[in-house]
């Protein structure tokens, strides 16, 4: 019930009345009074297919505020459904059961994006295009797969939610529009739609609305998903056609899903058609592989799907319903001595390059590494992400031959799905037909056994603002080993049940921090409204709650920069290939991660341009123009910007993403001493960001030569520690670049003695990674725990409204507390929303990590007091609300900040262990510790590599594994983190833990993100 004195009106306006039937049904179910009106789309364009407006205007008249009216407009079907469903949170329409609100929102969002335009908006002519039938079938397939995997009756949890209502109505209406194509739904999807639409309450509601056209679609198998039609282009001459057959094919169009993951397209159902029929149905006749298969009369089936750059994206976006089918994971590896190897394995198989060398019986030193784009182009002439055994066709006439290595496990599959030269197509063949194809083109593959990774837990369609749950998170606890007789222990079953039942209330996390750290982290950042997932892997949406933290850091940092004489500036996003490659060591350090722009509109660029991975090569040519004399020095600039590094390792929000925000400082100095001072000043700022703002302890130190910045002279760092999984993470770095870049970019100045000199330069950067580290260090099973210094809200005031205390009575008391706290510069909010009860608000703000909650109930007002609840430790206290109340609250926040840091530092210090003998190194490391050892010096890179290799081997042996994917972001190997500035005493004669040489210093090791 809405509190007395608050009047709420809701008006839903739509340009297409038929499109809001699902909203009307939701309003009836929730018992919410919503007025529905029709409006003009206000679009003067000639394209009627894009005109659709639906919005809910919520107006609130507050008696306490002299009848002042406030309003909020929610636009789009998803937002409108959310507003209506959450009017009565206890109804569970928006995710009160297992799965939570995020899952409900995902289904509604995807249904709206995929189906609404087909059901209501598109013209009769356009809706007949094959693309739209394919889109509906794809959506129906994803529903079917989800219901089969979860063994549930409904999409989210154990009871119907808004997701079931919206999906059922939109699917039924979309099928009705496509009735001429004899649309039918698979069994589980049909059952869901039938259950919802034939429910007595829904039936009566539809009848009262005068809706008579909404019927349950027929039951039947889906046809193969229609591939998007190719444009009708004129015939090309033989030379152009030959070039095109190399695999340069435009991406197939796909349905857009705003603010959501890519729509998962299940591979089309298997057919028994021969090669010609299969190719014709997909209309991929210009593809060289398809042509070759037809020529050889080899049965196959080629189908289109969204572009997938990796095996992980294929598994995520193009799931195979038959467990005996498999996509392929393909690695093109290069060794300077032994040549190129195309390794094709099942998506669940692991590739250990060291073991691969042994299996291939390669003699001498073996150093198999991922081949560069140039090698990819020169050997099989395909783009990154398009590699596969079918591409060996392009290697037949190449001067540099490739050895094809196939996983024996693939030969046991019924069908293999692999790219035919382009990553928006897949071709399905039997293993025998694949071997026949390879034999026909003169390729003799080597068959080898590869170990399978841990099996992935089944998952349905991932929510739009959650990552896919296809594979076990890398930081989760290892699966329990089966007991004798193959039975899994009862304790394991009990744990799985316990974790799966989390999230049965609207706001609860589904995972505990200690039970599954990776899934807990995902839950926290999504449900606290910090992150939403995007439809490009490794890219994320920073929502206001997380971006405010970044802004607070910016505000603090800019003040400190001005004190150091550093000025803000901005340089372009793009860099030419010539400039990027000018400094060889620098570009080699970033080459695998550089994203290139090669097209503009319909044409190819004359020269490719790179998206900045960092800005040295963008800024320094300008520095060369600006700096002429010693009077131009020092030059100190900073920019706040985004950078792109196309990581191949598993992305993790905030910690490792393909695009991230950062500040990067670049300075130029006359002397090495001045540059060193700047490096240390910047590093000290980074220490303060982590320790004084984030309450996260860090270890400042020097990087070894092996780990220093590419092309730099010396690198310093602050290293943070994540206690839950024992991993270190590089917090921020500050580099003395020496004079190398000055020489490369012709930066020089005339000194006071009149002679030309090369200046000394520095660069230093801090990223949004800081936010992820803070979440991991401080968060708990209730959600975020944010230190006061960076909390978007430091205090939230919650009035306990009841029959004894109305909002009119509580309002003035709470408003006075609010104004007194704001007068002291605190970030405070009064949560006087009438639609949520106090308990809901407590959970909400605890999950968002607000450091301090002030509760005001009837007894508090009677006694002129308030109850304070501290977020990080749950402490509760009753304080008198007097003249000292606000200053005491401000002091309490200072104490909370200090205590959070002290607690985190105590935990970190307990996990830094000194080790002087190798035999103790890995055992200590495996107890989630950082290891401090004597070291012979950072110049001994070969011993640094020895420790990394040896620790990996011993750790894998302890786990009973033979290898790990080189692209994993969480290797079990140890690496040097830094040579700490704060060095323990090193007794004379102490030996290096690896080489046995005399130790020169202590070095800190750890497993790192």
């Amino acid at each position: 019930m809405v509190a007395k004195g608050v009047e709420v009106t809701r008006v839903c306006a739509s340009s297409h009345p038929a499109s809001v039937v699902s909203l009307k049904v939701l309003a009836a179910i929730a018992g919410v009074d919503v007025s529905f009106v029709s409006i003009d789309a206000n679009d003067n364009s000639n394209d009627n297919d894009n005109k659709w407006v639906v919005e809910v205007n919520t107006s609130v008249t507050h008696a306490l505020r002299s009848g002042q009216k406030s309003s909020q407009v929610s636009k789009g079907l998803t937002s409108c459904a959310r507003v209506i469903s959450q009017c009565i949170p206890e109804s569970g329409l928006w995710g009160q059961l297992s799965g939570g609100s995020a899952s409900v929102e995902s289904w509604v969002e995807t249904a709206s994006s995929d189906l609404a335009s087909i059901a209501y908006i598109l013209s009769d002519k356009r809706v007949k295009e094959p693309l739209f039938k394919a889109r509906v079938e794809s959506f129906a397939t994803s529903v079917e797969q989800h219901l089969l995997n979860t063994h549930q009756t409904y999409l989210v949890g154990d009871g119907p939610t808004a997701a079931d209502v919206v999906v059922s109505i939109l699917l039924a209406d979309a099928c009705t529009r496509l009735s001429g194509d004899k649309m039918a739904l698979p069994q589980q999807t049909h059952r869901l739609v039938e259950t919802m639409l034939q429910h007595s309450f829904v039936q009566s509601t539809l009848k009262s609305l005068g809706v008579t056209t909404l019927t349950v679609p027929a039951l039947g198998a889906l046809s193969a998903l229609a591939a998007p039609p190719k444009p009708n282009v004129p015939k090309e001459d033989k030379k152009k056609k030959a070039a095109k057959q190399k695999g340069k094919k435009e991406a197939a169009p796909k349905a857009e899903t705003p603010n959501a993951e890519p729509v998962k397209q299940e591979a089309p159902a298997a057919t028994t058609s021969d090669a010609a029929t299969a190719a014709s149905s997909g209309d991929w006749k210009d593809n060289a592989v398809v042509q070759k298969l037809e020529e050889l009369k080899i049965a196959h089936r080629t189908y289109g799907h969204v572009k997938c750059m990796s095996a992980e994206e294929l598994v995520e976006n193009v799931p195979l319903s038959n467990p005996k089918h498999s996509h392929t994971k393909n690695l093109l590896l290069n060794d300077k001595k032994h040549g190129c190897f195309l390794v094709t394995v099942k998506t669940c198989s692991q590739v250990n390059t060291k073991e691969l060398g042994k299996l291939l019986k390669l003699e001498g030193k073996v150093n198999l590494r991922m081949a560069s784009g140039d090698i990819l182009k020169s050997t099989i002439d395909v783009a990154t992400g398009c590699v596969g055994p079918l591409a060996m066709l392009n290697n037949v006439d190449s001067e540099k031959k490739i050895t094809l290595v196939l996983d024996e496990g693939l030969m046991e599959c019924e069908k293999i799905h692999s790219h035919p030269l382009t990553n928006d197509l897949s071709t399905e063949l039997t293993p025998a037909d694949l071997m026949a194809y390879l034999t026909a083109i003169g390729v003799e593959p080597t068959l080898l056994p590869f170990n399978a990774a841990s099996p992935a837990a089944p998952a349905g369609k991932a929510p739009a603002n959650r990552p896919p749950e296809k594979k076990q998170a890398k930081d989760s606890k290892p699966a329990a080993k089966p007991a004798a007789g193959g039975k899994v222990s009862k304790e394991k079953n009990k744990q799985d049940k316990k974790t799966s039942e989390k999230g049965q209330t609207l706001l609860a996390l589904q995972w505990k921090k200690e039970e599954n750290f990776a899934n807990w982290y995902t839950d926290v950042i999504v449900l606290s409204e910090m992150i939403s997932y995007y439809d490009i892997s490794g890219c994320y949406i920073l929502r206001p709650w997380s971006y405010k933290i970044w802004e607070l850091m910016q505000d603090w940092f800019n003040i400190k920069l001005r004190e150091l004489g550093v000025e803000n500036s901005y340089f372009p996003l793009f860099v030419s290939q010539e400039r990027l490659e000018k400094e060889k060591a620098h570009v080699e350090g970033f080459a695998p991660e550089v994203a290139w722009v090669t097209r503009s509109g319909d044409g190819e660029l004359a020269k490719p341009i790179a998206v900045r991975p960092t800005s040295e090569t963008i800024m320094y040519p300008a520095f060369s123009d600006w700096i002429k004399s010693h009077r131009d020095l020092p030059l100190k600039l900073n920019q706040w910007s985004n950078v792109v590094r196309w990581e191949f390792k598993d992305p993790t929000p905030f910690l490792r993403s393909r695009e991230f925000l950062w500040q990067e400082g670049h300075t130029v100095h006359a002397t090495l001493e001045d540059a060193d001072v700047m490096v240390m000043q910047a590093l000290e700022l980074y220490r303060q960001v982590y320790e004084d703002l984030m309450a996260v302890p860090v270890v400042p130190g020097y990087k070894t030569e092996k780990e220093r910045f590419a092309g730099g002279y010396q690198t310093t760092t602050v290293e943070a520690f994540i206690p839950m999984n024992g991993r270190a993470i590089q917090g921020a770095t500050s580099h003395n670049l020496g004079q190398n870049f000055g020489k490369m970019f012709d930066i020089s100045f005339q000194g006071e003695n009149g002679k030309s000199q090369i200046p000394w330069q520095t660069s230093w950067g801090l990223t949004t990674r800081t936010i992820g580290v803070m979440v991991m260090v401080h968060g708990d099973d209730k959600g975020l725990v944010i230190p006061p210094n960076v909390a978007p809200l430091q205090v939230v005031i919650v009035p306990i409204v009841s029959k004894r205390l109305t909002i009119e009575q509580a309002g003035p008391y709470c408003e006075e507390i609010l104004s007194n706290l704001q007068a002291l510069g605190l970030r405070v909010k009064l949560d006087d929303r009438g639609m949520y009860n106090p308990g809901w608000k407590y959970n909400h703000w605890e999950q968002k990590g607000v450091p301090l909650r002030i509760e005001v109930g009837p007894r508090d007002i009677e006694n002129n007091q308030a109850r304070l609840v501290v977020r990080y430790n749950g402490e509760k206290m009753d304080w008198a609300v007097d003249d000292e109340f606000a200053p005491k609250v401000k002091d309490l926040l200072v104490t909370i900040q200090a205590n959070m840091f002290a607690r985190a530092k105590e935990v970190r210090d307990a996990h830094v262990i000194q080790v002087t003998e190798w035999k103790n190194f890995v055992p200590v490391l495996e107890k989630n510790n950082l290891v401090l050892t004597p070291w012979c010096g950072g110049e001994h890179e070969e011993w640094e590599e020895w420790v990394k290799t040896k620790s990996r081997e011993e750790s894998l042996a302890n786990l009973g594994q033979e290898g790990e994917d080189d692209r994993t972001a969480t290797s079990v190997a140890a690496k040097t983190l830094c040579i700490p500035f704060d060095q323990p005493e090193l007794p004379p004669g102490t030996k290096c833990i690896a080489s046995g040489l005399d130790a020169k210093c202590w070095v800190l090791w750890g497993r790192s993100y």
Side-chain angles (χ1 to χ4, degrees):
M1 296 291 292
V2 178
K4 184 179 179 182
V6 177
E7 182 180 346
V8 181
T9 59
R10 299 176 182 86
V11 178
C12 178
S14 175
S15 56
H16 291 69
S19 67
V20 295
V21 170
S22 58
L23 299 181
K24 292 179 179 180
V25 172
L26 285 176
I29 294 172
V32 177
D33 186 16
V34 182
S35 300
F36 290 87
V37 298
S38 298
I39 59 171
D40 189 345
N42 292 324
D43 185 349
N44 296 322
S45 71
N46 294 322
D47 185 6
N48 292 325
D49 288 350
N50 292 323
K51 295 180 182 180
W52 183 35
V53 176
V54 57
E55 59 188 34
V56 171
N57 189 313
T58 304
S59 300
V60 180
T61 304
H62 207 306
L64 184 63
R65 296 172 180 164
S66 303
Q68 181 181 354
K69 181 181 290 187
S70 61
S71 63
Q72 179 177 349
V73 178
S74 303
K75 297 186 177 182
L77 186 66
T78 304
S79 296
C80 295
R82 185 195 312 115
V83 167
I84 294 171
S85 300
Q86 289 186 335
C87 287
I88 311 294
E90 293 80 5
S91 70
L93 276 175
W94 207 252
Q96 189 171 358
L97 299 179
S98 173
S101 59
S103 295
V104 175
E105 181 152 343
S106 165
W107 281 108
V108 174
E109 174 98 9
T110 309
S112 171
S113 175
D114 285 9
L115 305 177
S117 60
I118 298 171
Y120 312 113
I121 315 303
L122 295 175
S123 65
D124 291 338
K125 181 180 180 181
R126 278 211 66 197
V127 83
K128 293 178 181 178
E129 295 177 14
L131 168 65
F132 300 113
K133 179 184 178 184
R135 189 187 299 180
V136 174
E137 289 188 326
S138 174
F139 183 87
T141 301
S142 68
V143 174
E144 183 77 5
Q145 192 72 29
H146 173 73
L147 295 174
L148 286 171
N149 285 341
T150 58
H151 306 290
Q152 291 178 329
T153 303
Y154 302 102
L155 293 172
V156 182
D158 299 327
T161 64
D164 303 290
V165 174
V166 174
V167 166
S168 297
I169 291 176
L170 265 61
L171 252 181
D173 276 338
C175 288
T176 299
R177 286 293 307 278
L178 298 169
S179 58
D181 290 318
K182 298 180 180 179
M183 290 296 297
L185 298 179
Q187 185 174 2
Q188 301 301 319
T189 308
H190 181 272
R191 178 186 50 73
L192 173 69
V193 176
E194 184 178 46
T195 300
M196 296 308 301
L197 297 190
Q198 293 189 354
H199 190 283
S200 58
F201 184 86
V202 176
Q203 285 275 301
S204 62
T205 302
L206 293 174
K207 185 176 181 180
S208 68
L209 295 173
V211 177
T212 59
T213 58
L214 195 60
T215 57
V216 179
L219 172 65
L222 290 176
S223 62
L225 296 184
K230 290 179 60 179
N232 185 19
V233 294
K235 292 184 178 180
E236 304 173 50
D237 60 42
K238 291 183 178 179
K239 288 185 179 180
K240 290 183 178 180
K241 187 172 182 180
K244 191 172 184 179
Q245 288 174 359
K246 290 292 186 179
K248 299 175 180 177
K249 187 179 185 306
E250 291 186 7
K254 63 179 186 293
E256 294 182 0
T257 309
N259 299 324
E261 292 185 315
V263 177
K264 292 185 181 180
Q265 291 181 252
E266 186 173 345
T271 65
T272 58
S273 59
D274 60 15
T277 305
S280 177
S281 67
D283 197 19
W284 316 117
K285 290 184 177 180
D286 285 338
N287 186 281
V289 167
V290 172
Q291 288 185 336
K292 192 66 177 177
L293 289 167
E294 289 185 358
E295 176 190 322
L296 297 171
K297 294 183 172 19
I298 293 176
H300 73 285
R301 184 174 59 86
T302 298
Y303 56 91
H305 50 69
V306 296
K307 276 194 172 185
C308 297
M309 292 297 295
S310 66
E312 289 78 9
E313 290 184 17
L314 264 173
V315 171
E316 175 185 337
N317 299 323
V318 193
L320 303 175
S321 59
N322 191 330
K324 295 182 180 180
H325 288 213
S326 178
H327 289 297
T328 60
K329 178 164 62 175
N330 305 281
L331 307 174
L332 186 62
L333 304 174
N334 186 52
D335 183 286
K336 291 182 180 179
K337 177 181 177 182
H338 301 287
C340 279
F341 298 84
L342 174 54
V343 181
T344 297
V345 299
K346 296 176 69 174
T347 55
C348 62
S349 294
Q350 294 180 329
V351 178
N352 181 288
T353 54
K354 184 175 180 180
E355 292 302 317
L356 179 61
K358 294 178 182 178
L359 290 171
L360 291 170
K361 299 180 180 179
L362 303 180
E363 297 180 355
K365 185 178 179 181
V366 179
N367 187 22
L368 290 167
R369 293 190 176 275
M370 292 292 290
S372 66
D374 290 340
I375 294 176
L376 195 65
K377 189 72 176 172
S378 64
T379 54
I380 48 178
D381 196 20
V382 294
T384 302
C386 303
V387 188
L390 298 174
M392 291 297 293
L393 179 67
N394 285 350
N395 186 242
V396 173
D397 298 324
S398 175
E399 294 181 2
K400 188 170 184 177
K401 296 298 181 184
I402 292 176
T403 300
L404 176 62
V405 180
L406 292 180
D407 185 354
E408 288 180 352
L410 283 171
M411 299 299 106
E412 299 172 2
C413 296
E414 284 186 4
K415 294 289 181 69
I416 299 169
H417 298 242
S418 194
H419 293 317
L421 305 176
T422 177
N423 59 359
D424 56 359
L425 297 178
S426 285
T427 296
E428 174 192 291
L429 308 98
T430 65
D433 286 334
L434 175 60
M435 296 300 285
Y437 166 82
L438 294 172
T439 301
I441 64 174
V443 175
E444 185 177 349
T446 300
L447 295 176
L448 294 176
F450 289 87
N451 293 324
S454 301
K461 188 176 181 69
N465 54 354
R466 282 185 192 271
E469 298 173 356
K470 278 285 182 185
K471 56 185 179 180
Q472 181 177 337
K474 51 187 175 288
D475 291 315
S476 63
K477 292 184 178 181
K481 295 182 179 179
K487 295 180 180 179
V488 179
S489 68
K490 292 182 179 179
E491 192 63 34
K492 173 71 168 85
N493 285 336
K494 192 180 297 182
Q495 177 179 321
D496 287 348
K497 183 177 180 182
K498 181 179 179 182
T499 55
S500 67
E501 289 176 353
K502 290 301 289 181
Q504 290 189 348
T505 60
L506 183 63
L507 294 173
L509 304 185
Q510 295 183 52
W511 302 95
K512 287 186 178 293
K513 190 175 184 179
E514 293 186 359
E515 288 175 348
N516 191 315
F517 183 55
N519 285 2
W520 167 87
Y521 177 71
T522 298
D523 259 4
V524 167
I525 59 176
V526 168
L527 297 179
S528 63
E529 300 175 331
M530 296 186 83
I531 282 284
S532 278
Y533 281 78
Y534 193 57
D535 64 351
I536 296 176
S537 177
C539 298
Y540 309 97
I541 300 168
L542 299 190
R543 299 184 66 175
W545 196 249
S546 60
Y547 198 81
K548 179 62 176 178
I549 296 174
W550 183 240
E551 286 183 322
L552 290 169
M553 291 171 54
Q554 284 181 308
D555 294 342
W556 179 90
F557 206 84
N558 279 328
I559 293 172
K560 298 296 182 180
L561 289 179
R562 286 192 287 272
E563 292 174 358
L564 296 176
V566 179
E567 297 179 292
N568 279 321
S569 58
Y570 185 78
F571 287 75
L573 173 68
F574 301 112
V575 55
S576 67
Q577 186 173 7
E578 180 183 3
R579 283 189 176 183
L580 184 66
E581 296 177 350
K582 195 164 188 177
E583 212 297 310
K584 183 178 179 182
H586 178 69
V587 73
E588 285 180 352
F590 286 104
E593 302 173 354
V594 175
W596 293 93
V597 179
T598 60
R599 292 180 62 85
S600 172
D602 295 331
E604 298 285 339
L605 294 179
K607 292 183 179 180
I609 56 175
V611 182
R612 62 176 167 226
T614 182
S615 296
E616 282 78 4
T617 56
I618 299 173
M619 291 181 164
Y620 296 170
F623 288 7
S624 176
D625 293 336
W626 300 344
I627 297 172
K628 302 300 179 186
S629 164
H630 64 88
R631 288 182 290 272
D632 299 323
L633 300 177
L635 175 64
K636 299 181 180 181
L637 298 181
N638 175 70
Q639 76 167 350
W640 297 93
S641 64
N642 63 333
V643 292
V644 173
R645 296 181 185 176
W646 211 256
E647 293 270 9
F648 286 97
K649 296 182 179 180
D650 294 332
T652 303
F654 294 121
L655 303 188
R656 186 178 293 280
S657 56
R658 287 176 169 169
E659 180 192 12
F660 55 86
L661 304 180
W662 76 344
Q663 65 72 215
E664 53 177 324
H666 296 266
T667 67
V668 189
H669 305 269
T671 66
L672 169 62
E673 293 74 21
D674 288 348
D676 275 340
V677 169
M678 185 71 247
V679 167
M680 292 304 173
Q681 286 175 333
L683 194 72
E684 171 59 18
L685 292 185
Y686 296 153
R687 184 200 65 77
Q688 291 178 42
V689 166
Y690 275 98
E691 297 194 343
D692 297 347
L693 299 186
M694 299 297 194
V696 173
V698 290
V699 179
Y702 296 104
K703 286 288 188 182
T704 62
E705 281 82 346
K706 179 178 173 59
E707 296 291 332
R708 74 184 174 193
F709 183 68
Y713 174 73
Q714 186 179 70
T715 292
T716 62
T717 181
V718 288
E719 298 287 327
F721 175 69
I722 311 300
M724 192 52 59
N725 59 11
R727 289 195 174 272
I729 186 164
Q730 181 177 286
T733 50
S734 180
H735 315 284
N736 187 328
L737 300 180
Q739 297 174 303
N740 192 29
F741 284 90
K743 295 173 183 176
M744 289 297 108
F745 290 94
D746 194 26
I747 305 172
S748 62
F749 68 97
Q750 187 177 49
E752 294 184 36
N753 58 6
K755 294 182 179 180
S756 180
Q757 300 178 39
I758 303 296
W760 295 80
Q761 294 177 248
T762 77
S763 70
W764 24 278
L766 177 79
T767 78
T768 41
R769 170 178 286 189
T770 49
I771 301 173
V773 174
M774 177 203 72
V775 173
M776 288 184 164
V777 170
H778 298 303
D780 61 20
D781 290 341
K782 292 181 179 180
L784 291 178
V785 181
I786 307 180
N789 287 354
V790 288
L793 285 178
Q794 295 168 306
V795 183
V796 62
I797 304 169
V798 180
I800 306 175
V801 177
S802 64
K803 292 180 179 179
R804 292 183 56 198
L805 181 67
T806 65
I807 191 65
E808 294 93 331
Q809 295 167 327
Y813 191 86
C814 294
E815 293 277 4
E816 184 177 359
I817 294 174
L818 174 70
S819 61
N820 289 339
L821 294 175
Q822 288 177 332
L824 294 180
L826 300 182
R827 297 181 291 277
V828 193
K829 178 181 178 67
L830 168 59
D831 189 348
D832 58 356
R833 293 176 291 176
M835 66 283 289
Y836 299 122
N837 60 42
W840 190 96
K841 295 177 184 178
Y842 297 166
N843 292 333
H844 176 71
W845 295 114
E846 284 182 346
Q847 192 170 63
K848 293 177 78 72
V850 175
L852 188 63
R853 182 172 76 246
I854 297 177
E855 302 170 5
V856 176
R859 290 185 181 177
D860 297 311
I861 294 179
E862 290 172 7
N863 298 325
N864 198 37
Q865 66 180 28
R867 168 156 289 190
L868 284 72
V869 183
V870 178
R871 174 65 182 90
Y872 90 95
N873 63 3
E875 182 182 0
K876 299 179 180 179
M877 58 198 86
D878 295 322
W879 284 6
V881 178
D882 52 21
D883 293 342
E884 297 301 316
F885 180 80
K888 284 171 63 180
V889 169
K890 186 173 184 179
D891 291 342
L892 177 60
L893 292 172
V894 174
T895 302
I896 291 171
Q897 180 82 25
N899 289 348
M900 287 182 66
F901 175 75
R903 184 171 71 171
K905 186 175 186 300
E906 182 180 1
V907 173
R908 192 279 312 271
D909 290 348
H911 283 275
V912 179
I913 309 298
Q914 289 188 14
V915 170
T916 56
E917 295 183 74
W918 176 257
K919 66 179 182 181
N920 298 324
F921 186 89
V922 172
V924 169
L925 186 71
E926 291 189 337
K927 293 179 180 178
N928 286 355
N929 292 317
L930 304 180
V931 185
L932 192 63
T933 73
W935 187 241
C936 54
E939 67 274 15
H940 293 283
E941 293 187 22
E942 70 280 8
W943 286 109
E944 199 169 337
E945 187 64 31
W946 181 88
V947 171
K948 187 174 183 179
T949 302
K950 189 70 173 174
S951 62
R952 179 191 287 114
E953 291 174 352
E954 291 188 14
S955 296
L956 290 173
N958 292 339
L959 293 170
Q961 300 177 8
E962 294 185 7
E964 63 180 359
D965 193 328
D966 286 346
R967 295 178 296 175
T968 180
T970 51
S971 173
V972 297
K975 60 177 285 189
T976 56
L977 304 175
C978 69
I979 300 170
F981 294 157
D982 185 9
Q983 287 277 310
E985 182 181 353
L986 187 67
T990 302
K991 300 299 182 182
C992 171
I993 194 173
S995 66
L997 300 172
D998 286 342
K1000 299 179 180 178
C1001 62
W1002 292 86
V1003 68
L1004 188 65
W1005 303 83
R1007 290 171 174 163
S1008 181
Y1009 274 99

